[in-house]
Amino acid sequence: MEYQNIHLEKNGPIAILTINRPPANAINVATLEEINAALDELERDTALRVAIFTGAGEKGFSSGFDVSDAGNADRASVLGQETWTRIDRFSKPTIAAINGFAFGGGCELALACHFRCMVSNPKALIGLTELNLGIIPGDGGAWFLQRLIGYQQAFELTVTGRLVDAQEALRLGIVLEVVDDAELLPRATALARQIAAQPPRALRMTKRLMKIAQRTSLKDFLDLCAA
């Protein structure tokens, strides 16, 4: 498939999927369809171990869903839910390299990934901003966020629509690391290479176990490990 709204690059066991819709990398239905097609491609690639998501340009990761595509809002909502769920359940670990702002649906995309690295640029802000526009964060953001940072902190950020900078995101546990702009992709790639070096079958199973552990009892979890 020829991609118009994203760029997909593969380098051995690592893939980098870049949202490429300047100036703000807003996400429309076509972008979601291309991300899904890329996920299909990456799932089929037996050599792939880790996928990195980022945004093109210097402004940011993604401003969220494209309001100019409001005529396709229902389709975008359904497809957004499906896409972020696929990323959460993706068989290989995923890393969001947040190169600037990540608002609304862009924030939800980052939260769906297993790791998040963020630049220290003062313009790098992240938040669930949907309520500011009179809509709800309906594509999983509120679900992901409270599992990362706890209910109270997540509730405050969600209902106020407040943006946090990289240092607060690090303190809250939204992101794993904060790095200088020039170091973002090299650091995300280094982390990806460290993960990719693990035995692939054990890596896939461990990733599944970590996700299952979020929603099952210890006894059931240990039974699954034994199996």
Side-chain angles (χ1 to χ4, degrees):
M1 178 176 179
E2 290 190 8
Y3 300 112
Q4 304 298 321
N5 299 288
I6 67 170
H7 176 70
L8 184 62
E9 175 187 352
K10 297 181 187 178
N11 185 6
I14 299 168
I16 301 177
L17 190 157
T18 305
I19 302 172
N20 187 23
R21 293 196 74 227
N25 297 323
I27 300 168
N28 61 3
V29 168
T31 307
L32 290 168
E33 290 173 342
E34 290 187 12
I35 292 174
N36 272 283
L39 291 172
D40 288 339
E41 181 178 342
L42 296 177
E43 282 284 17
R44 292 191 299 266
D45 189 342
T46 57
L48 184 76
R49 300 287 181 267
V50 185
I52 298 171
F53 291 79
T54 193
E58 299 179 355
K59 283 197 172 183
F61 185 76
S62 172
S63 62
F65 288 109
D66 190 345
V67 294
S68 69
D69 199 27
N72 292 316
D74 289 344
R75 172 63 176 156
S77 179
V78 171
L79 194 54
Q81 291 178 357
E82 293 174 354
T83 307
W84 301 168
T85 300
R86 286 195 68 187
I87 293 171
D88 176 61
R89 296 179 179 176
F90 195 57
S91 65
K92 297 135 187 179
T94 54
I95 301 170
I98 306 171
N99 56 314
F101 54 72
F103 303 153
C107 175
E108 290 175 312
L109 167 58
L111 293 176
C113 292
H114 305 114
F115 301 97
R116 280 151 300 282
C117 300
M118 193 170 180
V119 296
S120 58
N121 189 313
K123 295 181 180 179
L125 300 166
I126 186 168
L128 296 174
T129 54
E130 288 93 340
L131 205 60
N132 299 339
L133 303 175
I135 58 177
I136 65 167
D139 292 329
W143 189 91
F144 290 121
L145 189 60
Q146 63 182 286
R147 283 161 174 76
L148 283 173
I149 66 174
Y151 178 82
Q152 181 170 253
Q153 295 278 13
F155 189 80
E156 184 266 325
L157 291 178
T158 304
V159 299
T160 63
R162 184 170 69 84
L163 298 172
V164 301
D165 63 17
Q167 292 302 326
E168 185 176 4
L170 179 64
R171 178 177 63 80
L172 290 173
I174 296 174
V175 299
L176 178 69
E177 294 183 7
V178 172
V179 299
D180 292 335
D181 294 44
E183 297 175 4
L184 180 64
L185 274 180
R187 175 57 193 141
T189 302
L191 177 60
R193 291 196 183 284
Q194 186 178 5
I195 297 167
Q198 301 286 30
R201 188 162 181 262
L203 175 62
R204 288 195 303 272
M205 290 301 298
T206 301
K207 183 264 171 189
R208 288 182 61 193
L209 286 169
M210 288 291 290
K211 283 295 182 181
I212 291 169
Q214 294 179 319
R215 57 181 187 270
T216 191
S217 69
L218 175 60
K219 178 63 169 64
D220 290 342
F221 177 78
L222 293 176
D223 287 345
L224 181 61
C225 290

